[in-house]
Amino acid sequence: FAMILPPTSPWWLVATGAFMSMLIGKHVFGGLGSNPFNSVLVGWAIVKISWKSYMDFNLVVIEHTLERTLVYPLGVLKAEGVRAIENLSIGELFLGQEIGGIGSTSGLFLCIGGLILIVKGIIPWKIPVAFITGIVVTSLVFASIDSAEYPGPVFHLVTGYTIIGIFFLATDYSSTPVNTWAMILFGFGCGSLTIFLRLWSYYPDSTIFGILLMNILTPY
């Protein structure tokens, strides 16, 4: 849970989010294996909506003196558009040179961990591959319509909670489908909704909301 919180989060926010994850996200439904939503994301959504000022990564930039200039790229995109992110290095973003929680700044290591889980058979490959496909296809459609307003898929893949969502959040056993085509549709929907919500919702990074919305559709 702490991996998707700002590093400046007060202890009570972390404790509240963790408590909500366990109680509202899991135990009210019967405990481990019975939760219809990813319990971690339930806790995150509650604190995000309830205490949004504490969940603002832009405040991290204001409140801390850093050795180098860092930005919250999705916040910049939301506020200033594509032109403002043109000079950002994709390689540096992937390696963690951006503001965010641990789960949004350690792309390389998250990919290594996710691939290990797939190779060991702990998580299915269908959801991550379909998730990536959903992001790529949807962002390419928008970029082809107006590349001056919508960024391409690579930017979306290396920013925010995309990578931790692909491998660690969208693959929760109890809140995701078990059939092959259902997993493919689920993963694609997560990726597609992530792009739609990033571009048109209030929140700069909506990966978690995209996964939660697809959790609702899992029974169908």
Side-chain angles (χ1 to χ4, degrees):
F1 180 76
M3 291 185 70
I4 53 177
L5 290 177
T8 54
S9 299
W11 69 267
W12 60 265
L13 185 72
V14 179
T16 301
F19 177 75
M20 291 297 178
S21 294
M22 298 303 295
L23 180 63
I24 306 298
K26 184 173 294 184
H27 289 294
V28 296
F29 296 105
L32 183 64
S34 301
N35 48 295
F37 306 98
N38 184 308
S39 58
V40 171
L41 304 190
V42 171
W44 182 92
I46 290 173
V47 297
K48 177 70 173 180
I49 294 171
S50 302
W51 296 283
K52 62 181 180 180
S53 62
Y54 288 101
M55 299 286 283
D56 189 345
F57 286 115
N58 291 322
L59 294 180
V60 178
V61 183
I62 298 173
E63 296 174 359
H64 285 72
T65 301
L66 303 171
E67 295 180 357
R68 55 167 293 163
T69 301
L70 297 179
V71 297
Y72 182 43
L74 290 171
V76 174
L77 174 65
K78 177 68 71 175
E80 303 178 35
V82 172
R83 185 169 298 178
I85 62 170
E86 288 179 347
N87 294 326
L88 296 180
S89 168
I90 296 297
E92 289 186 356
L93 293 176
F94 181 63
L95 293 175
Q97 300 298 327
E98 59 177 300
I99 292 296
I102 295 175
S104 61
T105 63
S106 305
L108 174 62
F109 297 104
L110 290 170
C111 284
I112 293 172
L115 291 173
I116 290 174
L117 293 179
I118 292 175
V119 170
K120 286 181 171 289
I122 297 173
I123 62 173
W125 61 266
K126 292 99 169 171
I127 292 176
V129 170
F131 200 137
I132 295 171
T133 304
I135 288 176
V136 171
V137 170
T138 308
S139 57
L140 278 177
V141 169
F142 282 105
S144 65
I145 295 172
D146 188 353
S147 60
E149 184 175 356
Y150 306 115
V154 177
F155 174 80
H156 284 293
L157 287 171
V158 299
T159 54
Y161 296 123
T162 304
I163 297 177
I164 194 173
I166 288 170
F167 293 110
F168 297 93
L169 302 177
T171 54
D172 174 54
Y173 293 132
S174 64
S175 59
T176 54
V178 294
N179 299 320
T180 297
W181 281 107
M183 285 191 283
I184 292 173
L185 288 172
F186 176 85
F188 188 90
C190 288
S192 185
L193 280 174
T194 294
I195 301 302
F196 276 107
L197 294 173
R198 279 185 179 181
L199 298 179
W200 291 335
S201 77
Y202 170 80
Y203 300 100
D205 184 10
S206 299
T207 306
I208 289 175
F209 290 119
I211 297 173
L212 282 173
L213 287 172
M214 289 307 298
N215 284 162
I216 296 175
L217 298 178
T218 293
Y220 299 100

